[in-house]
Amino acid sequence: MAVFKLLVGLGNPGSEYENTRHNAGAQWIEALARQSQCSLRSEKKFFGEFAKAYIGGEECYLLIPTTYMNLSGKSVQAVCQFYKILPEQVLVIHDELDIPPGTVKLKKGGGHGGHNGLKDIISKLGNNRDFGRLRIGIGHPGHASQVASYVLKKAPTEEYDQIEKTIDESLRYCDDIVRGELSNAMNHLHSFKA
């Protein structure tokens, strides 16, 4: 049985946000959908782009909320309620300021670290923090006052390439991740540097 039934990639909808740092999670899900040969389709009742996929022999669901980042929980909550998915069966893929571009970290549970998408998901899942996180490093601009504009900008080419390589590398371990065989994925990904 799949440990993660729902894989959620965070981002903002609309062409102006495409390929911005904040959309790294959404990019990851788009790449996974291509790899799994399934099509993400707009699903009104889930407030997002949605697909059913078979990963590592397991049936699971892919989701990119189209609610804007700060309301991501509305979309996650809708899918979880419809399919009776528990918070610990959810993996959220998101951009992470606290790790540099070209790095990726995987963990179960934890706080929101100031990430508004995670904050909303935690509140909509009844303050449950047990979901998994795949954190794609985007680096920090250096000062808290610069964070909002930094995450909504496209990364320079070199950084963008590092983020893409991180996405590609972590997708190689997707079967393990979905099945909950996290230690192998963590051992490799936590020492990976694009």
Side-chain angles (χ1 to χ4, degrees), residues 93-164:
I93 302 96
H94 64 90
D95 57 305
E96 177 58 72
L97 287 159
D98 295 332
I99 57 177
T103 57
V104 60
K105 303 280 183 216
L106 184 61
K107 70 175 187 173
K108 282 209 86 170
H112 55 69
H115 193 292
N116 289 329
L118 293 179
K119 214 182 274 186
D120 195 55
I121 291 168
I122 288 168
S123 87
K124 295 291 192 303
L125 294 179
N127 284 327
N128 190 312
R129 298 160 184 257
D130 294 340
F131 55 89
R133 297 100 191 278
L134 183 75
R135 301 152 64 214
I136 299 168
I138 60 165
H140 199 286
H143 195 274
S145 65
Q146 299 168 313
V147 165
S149 65
Y150 176 81
V151 297
L152 295 176
K153 281 197 182 103
K154 290 176 168 61
T157 305
E158 188 186 345
E159 270 181 42
Y160 184 76
D161 289 347
Q162 289 176 308
I163 291 167
E164 286 222 299

